């Protein structure tokens, strides 16, 4: 069978050789650095050697070159602590910043309840709940003077983390330059040092001096693009991952991802004559020190083509992590049924876990309405609890990220799953999407919000979501009927083209509603708290119920009514699209 031919052609040895070359010959691949450029050229040359048309695109990117930081405990006793400045931190004056330390746990807004952060330096956990960028934004909004973020990992771990705190997604606009850039000095320290500070705080006040050393500015940065066009048709799947890195080898993050993308390109180039849809391979930059500058540039500059012809985005970041036993897949829900089928067949040795995709990593395609899927190994709940939620390994974003952090047997599983996903997306006569699951998510979220929704007329939106679910069920049944007919040899392409066009348009309408605040033409700040919920635009609706009459309530109610209208229109348009398609098919 063709899928089996593709899987049989994959070589983990080739992936390993690429990873070894990248980590040995091109370490410390920071965007805007000479090695950042060398990495882009390496990706281009490897694609070209496989027969894939490839190019490097250079453009200005606002990136960061953070240096070593200084942290000194002044009281209750003097201690020097090793630290790194976090990317896009505000630099301190030469004498540094002196202040009282407070422990804000996760750094989420709720962790500040009962605290008095104004003028204080915060100590928080460097996890992704929320992300560093959002911790800084929240701390600044509440009046803190600086941030110290302790690494994840085990209690005795001494790895000092790198990381960025720039909320603005991609290159900033005049507006986001004013409203979404960091305003605080931020540094990272080891887990062991952070726990020691927490223990001190348990005994009384702690006073610190911190110095943040950083150079932030515009630099020429490079992304690499390769393409395998389909023999007929203009639709395509985007496969992407970042090729930049922090200092050191950064084997898992993301030398491994770049090597896997190169291998997929080599294999699919050999099978290009069998594809119904083409492939675009994107090796992004400015992921680490620019907050998704590269993938955002691609989306912004290729908007027209992506809007018309991109069917899905596969993100590959940190495959093959050693010690992992849980397959962590994240997707927009229209893709879930299809990709979990491949995982059941091919993700040997892994226990499945799924979450709705939110805007993290280089997921710059949500505004476009292009659904995404990603998957990689992670650790069990017990292991994560013991390591302070180190989902990507205690070594992540540190110089300890070396080749021994990769498991080549695990890598083979990852690349086979990715290849199966791509084969189905690129060859299925009818795209393997279904929207009943998406409709269910809208219905459940609107039911959850119902108690607070009366003030903005949410009941009618819920009814529309139920109506869309019924329409999605009819569409799914029709698509399955035509899939069976094509399997039996039906030759007319017109029904498949109509169904595929409908499926793409549904994603275009619903992904921005389900997954963004700003919608199609902006990018939410990285790690923005509402992003963690379905329909982020209605995230603050429960707060409305607790507000009395007055300006704060009236402002929020005005905002929420407009968001309610956006959701209503999106669901109405989606239902009309289904009805038009089903009428066309008779």
């Amino acid at each position: 069978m063709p899928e089996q031919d593709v899987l049989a052609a994959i070589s983990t040895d080739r992936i390993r050789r690429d990873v070894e070359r990248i980590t040995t010959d091109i370490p410390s691949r920071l965007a805007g650095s000479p090695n950042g450029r060398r990495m882009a050229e390496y990706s281009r040359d490897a694609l070209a050697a496989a027969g894939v048309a490839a190019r490097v695109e250079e453009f200005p990117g606002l990136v960061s070159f953070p240096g070593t930081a200084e942290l000194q405990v002044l009281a209750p006793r003097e201690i020097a602590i090793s630290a790194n400045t976090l990317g896009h931190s505000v630099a301190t004056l030469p004498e540094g910043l002196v202040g009282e330390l407070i422990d804000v746990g996760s750094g989420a807004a709720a962790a500040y309840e009962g605290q008095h952060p104004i003028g204080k330096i915060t100590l928080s956990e460097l996890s992704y709940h929320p992300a560093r960028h959002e911790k800084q934004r929240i701390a600044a909004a509440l009046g803190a003077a600086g941030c110290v973020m302790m690494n994840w990992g085990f209690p005795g771990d001494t790895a000092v983390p790198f990381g960025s705190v720039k909320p603005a997604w991609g290159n900033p606009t005049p507006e986001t330059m004013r409203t979404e850039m960091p305003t605080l000095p931020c540094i990272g320290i080891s887990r062991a040092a952070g726990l020691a500070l927490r223990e001190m705080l348990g005994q009384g006040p702690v006073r610190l001096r911190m110095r943040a050393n950083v150079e932030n500015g515009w630099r020429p940065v490079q992304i690499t693009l390769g393409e395998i066009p389909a023999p007929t048709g203009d639709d395509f799947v985007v496969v992407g991952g970042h090729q930049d890195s922090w200092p050191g080898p950064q084997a898992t993050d993301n030398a491994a991802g770049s090597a896997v993308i190169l291998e997929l390109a080599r294999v699919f180039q050999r099978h290009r004559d069998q594809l119904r849809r083409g492939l675009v391979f994107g090796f992004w930059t400015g992921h680490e020190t620019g907050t998704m500058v590269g993938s955002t540039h691609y989306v912004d500059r290729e908007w027209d083509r992506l809007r018309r012809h991109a069917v899905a985005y596969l993100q590959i970041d940190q495959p093959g992590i050693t010690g992992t036993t849980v397959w962590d897949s994240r997707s927009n829900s229209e893709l879930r049924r299809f990709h979990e089928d491949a995982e059941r067949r091919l993700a040997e040795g892994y226990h499945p876990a799924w979450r709705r995709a939110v805007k993290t990593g280089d997921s710059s395609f949500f505004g476009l309405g292009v659904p995404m899927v990603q998957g990689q190994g992670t650790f069990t709940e017990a292991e994560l609890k013991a390591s302070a939620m180190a989902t990507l390994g205690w070594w992540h974003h540190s110089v300890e990220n070396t080749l021994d952090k990769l498991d080549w047997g695990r890598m083979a599983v990852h690349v086979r799953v990715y290849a199966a996903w791509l084969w189905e997306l690129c060859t299925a006569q009818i795209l393997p999407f279904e929207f009943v699951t998406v409709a269910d998510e809208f219905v459940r979220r609107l039911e959850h919000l119902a108690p607070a929704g009366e003030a903005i007329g949410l009941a009618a939106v819920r009814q529309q979501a139920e109506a869309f679910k019924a329409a999605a069920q009819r569409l799914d049944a029709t698509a399955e009927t035509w899939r069976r007919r094509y399997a039996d040899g039906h030759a007319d392409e017109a029904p498949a083209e109509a169904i595929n066009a409908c499926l793409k348009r549904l994603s275009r309408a619903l992904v921005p509603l389900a997954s963004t605040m700003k919608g199609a033409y902006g990018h939410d700040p990285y790690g923005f708290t509402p992003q963690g919920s379905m329909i982020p635009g209605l995230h603050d609706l429960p707060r409305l119920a607790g507000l009395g009459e007055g300006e704060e309530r009236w402002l929020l109610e005005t905002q929420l009514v407009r968001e309610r209208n956006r959701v209503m229109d999106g669901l109405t348009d989606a239902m009309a699209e289904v009805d038009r398609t089903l009428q066309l098919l008779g």
Side-chain angles (χ1 to χ4, degrees):
M1 295 176 63
E3 182 195 88
Q4 292 175 345
D5 293 341
V6 168
L7 299 184
I10 292 167
S11 170
T12 307
D13 288 339
R14 278 196 299 262
I15 296 171
R16 184 169 189 163
R17 286 196 294 271
D18 275 321
V19 173
E20 289 172 347
R21 291 188 192 110
I22 293 166
T23 55
T24 302
D25 298 341
I26 324 174
S28 305
R29 302 171 292 277
L30 277 78
S33 72
N35 271 9
R37 182 187 298 275
R38 289 181 62 210
M39 183 64 219
E41 293 168 347
Y42 180 94
S43 300
R44 177 200 62 199
D45 294 346
L47 289 169
V52 178
R55 69 184 190 276
V56 171
E57 279 193 12
E58 183 171 284
F59 57 93
L62 182 56
V63 292
S64 184
F65 293 89
T68 301
E70 299 171 54
L71 181 62
Q72 184 180 18
V73 178
L74 302 177
R77 59 185 183 276
E78 291 195 5
I79 304 172
I81 296 175
S82 297
N84 286 327
T85 308
L86 298 177
H88 286 282
S89 166
V90 173
T92 57
L93 295 172
E95 61 268 26
L97 170 69
V98 175
E100 182 183 340
L101 186 68
I102 60 170
D103 188 350
V104 296
S106 69
Y112 284 82
E113 292 181 10
Q115 302 265 29
H116 302 283
I118 295 175
K120 308 289 179 60
I121 297 172
T122 64
L123 174 68
S124 61
E125 303 268 354
L126 202 156
S127 69
Y128 287 93
H129 304 288
R132 296 178 304 275
H133 323 61
E134 181 74 344
K135 298 180 203 297
Q136 185 279 154
R137 188 191 69 82
I138 292 169
L142 295 175
C147 299
V148 176
M149 302 186 192
M150 77 166 90
N151 205 2
W152 57 18
F154 299 97
D157 284 347
T158 58
V160 181
F162 305 111
S164 177
V165 293
K166 171 177 170 279
W169 191 288
N171 276 337
T173 65
E175 178 188 358
T176 59
M177 192 72 172
R178 290 191 304 269
T179 61
E180 295 180 8
M181 293 298 290
T183 58
L184 299 180
C186 300
I187 64 176
I189 62 174
S190 72
R191 183 81 186 159
L195 292 178
L197 288 175
R198 178 168 287 167
E199 184 177 355
M200 286 185 195
L201 282 168
Q203 299 169 1
V206 174
R207 194 164 179 80
L208 302 177
R209 174 184 286 114
M210 59 181 283
R211 292 188 181 92
N213 305 298
V214 62
E215 180 184 351
N216 303 319
W218 295 86
R219 298 286 186 278
V221 299
Q222 302 81 29
I223 61 173
T224 307
L225 298 169
E227 182 161 5
I228 302 172
T232 59
D234 296 318
D235 283 0
F236 59 94
V237 177
V238 180
V239 184
H242 68 95
Q243 61 186 350
D244 63 314
S245 80
W246 290 108
Q250 302 303 332
T252 67
D253 186 26
N254 191 29
S258 294
V260 165
I261 295 172
L262 290 172
E263 180 62 10
L264 291 168
R266 292 181 185 114
V267 170
F268 275 79
Q269 172 68 5
R270 298 176 190 172
H271 295 269
R272 61 191 180 278
D273 293 341
Q274 298 169 272
L275 304 182
R276 292 181 179 274
R277 300 171 194 92
L279 285 159
V280 170
F281 302 95
F283 298 77
W284 316 127
T285 194
H287 167 102
E288 303 290 13
T289 59
T291 310
M292 319 311 144
V293 161
S295 56
T296 306
H297 171 86
Y298 173 71
V299 167
D300 289 346
R301 298 306 178 108
E302 295 290 330
W303 181 272
D304 297 349
R305 185 182 178 214
L306 288 163
R307 190 79 159 173
R308 287 193 296 268
H309 296 300
V311 299
Y313 172 52
L314 167 58
Q315 180 163 275
I316 299 179
D317 196 347
Q318 308 199 53
I321 293 174
T322 190
T324 56
T325 55
V326 175
W327 182 265
D328 180 19
S329 64
R330 307 179 194 190
S331 65
N332 297 101
S333 297
E334 57 260 49
L335 300 181
R336 182 179 179 182
R337 184 174 68 184
F338 127 76
H339 71 73
E340 286 189 335
D341 176 67
E343 292 155 27
R344 281 189 289 271
R345 292 185 290 112
L346 297 169
E348 299 172 5
Y350 281 101
H351 303 290
W354 176 84
R355 284 179 284 175
R356 186 180 63 87
V358 297
K359 198 168 180 181
T360 59
D362 274 289
S363 53
S364 300
F365 296 77
F366 282 1
L368 271 167
V370 174
M372 70 168 285
V373 59
Q374 69 179 88
Q376 64 275 322
T378 190
F379 303 92
T380 65
E381 288 187 15
E383 290 168 330
L384 291 174
K385 184 177 180 180
S387 67
M389 301 306 293
T391 54
L392 301 170
W394 61 264
W395 56 83
H396 177 63
H397 282 183
S398 80
V399 294
E400 305 294 337
N401 191 345
T402 47
L403 281 169
D404 60 306
K405 307 308 188 298
L406 289 168
D407 181 311
W408 299 103
R410 299 292 188 200
M411 185 70 77
V413 173
H414 281 69
V415 70
R416 284 168 59 84
V417 172
Y418 300 153
W421 288 350
L422 289 178
W423 187 255
E424 180 73 7
L425 287 168
C426 290
T427 62
Q429 196 143 10
I430 295 176
L431 287 167
F433 296 6
E434 62 88 15
F435 282 88
V436 178
T437 302
V438 177
D440 275 333
E441 287 188 332
F442 274 95
V443 170
R444 284 196 300 271
R445 179 60 173 157
L446 293 167
E447 286 175 347
H448 176 75
L449 294 171
E454 184 176 352
I456 64 169
L458 201 64
V461 184
R462 179 182 166 187
Q463 291 172 2
Q464 193 72 346
E466 294 278 9
F468 172 65
K469 179 179 177 180
Q473 290 169 331
R474 295 193 298 273
L475 177 65
D476 194 34
T478 300
E480 284 300 312
T481 297
W482 280 103
R483 288 185 181 105
R484 289 192 295 271
R485 289 175 181 174
Y486 285 120
D488 291 339
H490 188 88
D492 184 6
E493 294 277 353
E497 291 172 357
I499 293 170
N500 289 336
C502 177
L503 296 173
K504 285 194 297 180
R505 284 194 286 265
L506 290 178
S507 287
R508 299 297 187 265
L510 298 177
V511 169
L513 284 182
S515 302
T516 76
M517 283 282 287
K518 292 189 178 181
Y521 305 109
H523 290 278
D524 296 343
Y526 193 97
F528 194 41
T529 298
Q531 274 277 326
S533 62
M534 177 75 178
I535 321 178
L538 296 178
H539 175 267
D540 286 338
L541 182 55
R543 185 162 68 88
L544 185 68
L547 297 176
E549 290 298 315
E551 183 177 70
E552 184 179 2
R553 179 185 176 89
W554 302 331
L555 292 172
L556 181 58
E557 190 169 324
T558 299
Q559 173 187 317
L560 290 169
V561 167
R562 292 172 184 173
E563 290 297 329
R564 174 260 184 221
N565 295 343
R566 184 163 75 104
V567 177
M568 184 67 163
D569 281 356
L571 291 169
T572 301
D573 291 347
M575 200 168 83
E577 179 62 40
V578 173
D579 288 343
R580 280 194 298 270
T581 301
L582 294 181
Q583 285 179 348
L584 180 65
L585 294 172

